[in-house]
Amino acid sequence: MRGADRRILLLLLDGAADRPAAELGDRTPLEAADTPNLDRLAAAGINGTMHVADPGVPLSSDLAHARLFGYDPAELPGRGVLEARGFGRDPDPESVVCSASFASLNGDGTVADRHLPADAADFPALADGPGVAEVDVPGVEGCRVSFEYTWKNRGLVTVTADTVVSPAVTDADPFAEGLPVVASEPVADAADPAAAGRTAEALRAYTRSTRDALADADSDGPADVVLSKWAGAATGPEPFRERHGLDGASLTPKPVLTGLARTVGLSHESPPEGYGARAERALSALDEREFLHVHYPEPDEVSHAAGPAAKRDELAAIDASLGPVVDRALADPELVTVATADHTTPSTEDVVHSGEPVPVTMVAEGVRVDDVDAAGERPAATGGLRGVGGRDLLRVARAAADRVLLDGLRRTPAVRDYPTTEVTPLWPETE
């Protein structure tokens, strides 16, 4: 079949989409940035905007990437498990694992600061302290809650018990300053309310224990409590290779996306330091894989920390490194290149992420090139790529690569939408 060996490159600029900023002349950082290489991609391809989930829904990077990799987030474990796998851990499938962080509290017990600087305290030592490292929960048979430090002010909280526990619980972390620490309880649609109740009881006991222990450990330190969130249980979805017919890899420095890659069966590699080196490694990795995800978390990080102008400059710095990658994209007829973002990150407001659509560009031999000639949210919205959602994107890229089987054909018992020669022959091979 024509194009059977076409490769797919997904350039993912995390949180690159934004809202217009007055200080940038009412342009978004992406529209205001000097991006000659992304502009070349836009001019050579088909462009559009994409709601990664339902319109208006703000997404975390892991839930957005799950969709962009072609998965329903319900198929995947919670973020706590993804983070654990990102740090090389292999959680017990009978346990519940939460993402967690040290935080400070106000005098009334509300959350003061959830983002304590990495050098604000000796977090590894606090993590090893009594009342934090491990807590027994007498109310649940054989129940123990433990904490393992990972990086910055963060770690993993794991709940184990002799009886069944469930991740279907509310977060202790309210994900906002000025709100009280949440008393964990089962979510309304928990499949096993009793198991979720045991987990919630354990997390309530553990959170109280950490507050008492940290008050005793260092009354002058900023860390007052460990807040847990995003509980998950270790499960494994259908592997990426089986779902899409592609041997894939992810080049990302972000632990949670490392864990997502490992969960869906993508090979993972941490990128080298520097944008130029990341681009060079992407080019070499393209010769090794049929699908390559190259992740740039920096636009999102700068958006949260430094505002629109800094985000504009960061996007320009990334673009400056992409010259060789864009050269390959424009010259290689056996390559499909997609450039997009996973969500919108407002750099002008104190909002984590927002629900506006993200721009997407696809370059490949045979695409219906439109009139868009510049990267940006509003230019992309005038392009010819319409009606594509997050879970559609990889299939659309596979279609451009001629890696989609005619709808309705059934070559294998597990009906696939990609061409495969791994079929059961009626006449076995003769010796």
Side-chain angles (χ1 to χ4, degrees):
M1 176 178 287
R2 175 184 172 275
D5 295 324
R6 274 183 166 183
R7 301 175 188 277
I8 299 172
L9 171 63
L10 175 60
L11 296 172
L12 202 296
L13 277 61
D14 200 307
D18 208 326
R19 294 170 173 172
E23 66 186 86
L24 301 179
D26 288 325
R27 296 173 296 173
T28 71
L30 183 58
E31 293 167 348
D34 182 19
T35 55
N37 289 309
L38 291 174
D39 293 347
R40 285 199 292 150
L41 278 182
I46 186 169
N47 302 267
T49 55
M50 171 178 64
H51 287 287
V52 179
D54 290 337
V57 176
L59 295 171
S60 60
S61 289
D62 58 306
L63 295 182
H65 271 79
R67 291 175 169 88
L68 294 174
F69 288 165
Y71 291 85
D72 185 328
E75 299 177 77
L76 303 174
R79 180 162 172 157
V81 172
L82 298 182
E83 289 190 7
R85 289 173 174 163
F87 285 103
R89 312 300 191 268
D90 187 16
D92 185 329
E94 302 301 321
S95 66
V96 168
V97 183
C98 307
S99 176
S101 59
F102 288 96
S104 63
L105 300 176
N106 296 309
D108 62 358
T110 57
V111 176
D113 191 349
R114 301 173 53 258
H115 302 287
L116 299 175
D119 59 357
D122 186 350
F123 292 117
L126 293 178
D128 286 338
V132 176
E134 197 167 86
V135 173
D136 291 326
V137 182
V140 179
E141 182 180 353
C143 184
R144 180 168 295 178
V145 185
S146 60
F147 182 90
E148 182 179 6
Y149 176 78
T150 53
W151 68 326
K152 297 182 178 180
N153 69 325
R154 304 176 194 171
L156 302 166
V157 165
T158 300
V159 180
T160 59
D162 291 342
T163 186
V164 178
V165 289
S166 163
V169 295
T170 58
D171 303 325
D173 186 346
F175 217 76
E177 278 75 34
L179 292 179
V181 176
V182 179
S184 184
E185 55 188 330
V187 297
D189 61 352
D192 187 340
R198 290 188 283 271
T199 308
E201 181 177 348
L203 290 174
R204 291 194 300 268
Y206 178 74
T207 307
R208 294 189 189 102
S209 174
T210 64
R211 185 179 186 187
D212 294 341
L214 291 169
D216 293 338
D218 184 359
S219 59
D220 297 323
D224 297 316
V225 69
V226 172
L227 298 179
S228 58
K229 57 184 177 293
W230 296 323
T235 57
E238 180 181 46
F240 188 89
R241 176 68 179 82
E242 294 180 16
R243 177 154 299 188
H244 299 294
L246 296 168
D247 174 30
S250 174
L251 194 65
T252 176
K254 195 165 184 175
V256 67
L257 295 186
T258 300
L260 176 61
R262 290 171 174 163
T263 294
V264 302
L266 289 170
S267 297
H268 169 260
E269 181 179 339
S270 295
E273 291 292 329
Y275 290 144
R278 194 178 312 180
E280 290 178 7
R281 179 58 192 136
L283 286 173
S284 60
L286 269 177
D287 296 326
E288 303 163 5
R289 303 290 179 180
E290 297 169 313
F291 168 81
L292 179 65
H293 163 248
V294 183
H295 180 226
Y296 293 85
E298 292 83 2
D300 180 71
E301 294 167 354
V302 172
S303 188
H304 287 306
K311 183 175 182 179
R312 172 201 62 197
D313 295 345
E314 197 72 25
L315 288 165
I318 293 171
D319 183 274
S321 74
L322 290 177
V325 176
V326 174
D327 289 344
R328 171 81 178 266
L330 301 185
D332 188 349
E334 297 303 324
L335 178 63
V336 175
T337 301
V338 178
T340 189
D342 52 347
H343 52 70
T344 296
T345 304
S347 58
T348 56
E349 304 170 50
D350 187 18
V351 176
V352 179
H353 298 155
S354 58
E356 294 90 346
V358 300
V360 57
T361 296
M362 185 171 68
V363 175
E365 187 179 71
V367 300
R368 298 168 181 170
V369 178
D370 53 34
D371 295 330
V372 177
D373 60 5
E377 295 85 346
R378 281 171 286 198
T382 68
L385 192 63
R386 307 289 174 86
V388 175
R391 290 194 65 192
D392 303 322
L393 184 65
L394 188 50
R395 186 175 58 252
V396 169
R398 286 198 287 115
D402 294 321
R403 289 180 176 269
V404 178
L405 195 65
L406 186 69
D407 190 28
L409 296 183
R410 294 175 288 185
R411 292 181 179 174
T412 59
V415 177
R416 301 296 183 186
D417 70 351
Y418 54 83
T420 177
T421 59
E422 298 175 359
V423 300
T424 302
L426 179 57
W427 290 280
E429 293 183 11
T430 57
E431 296 183 2

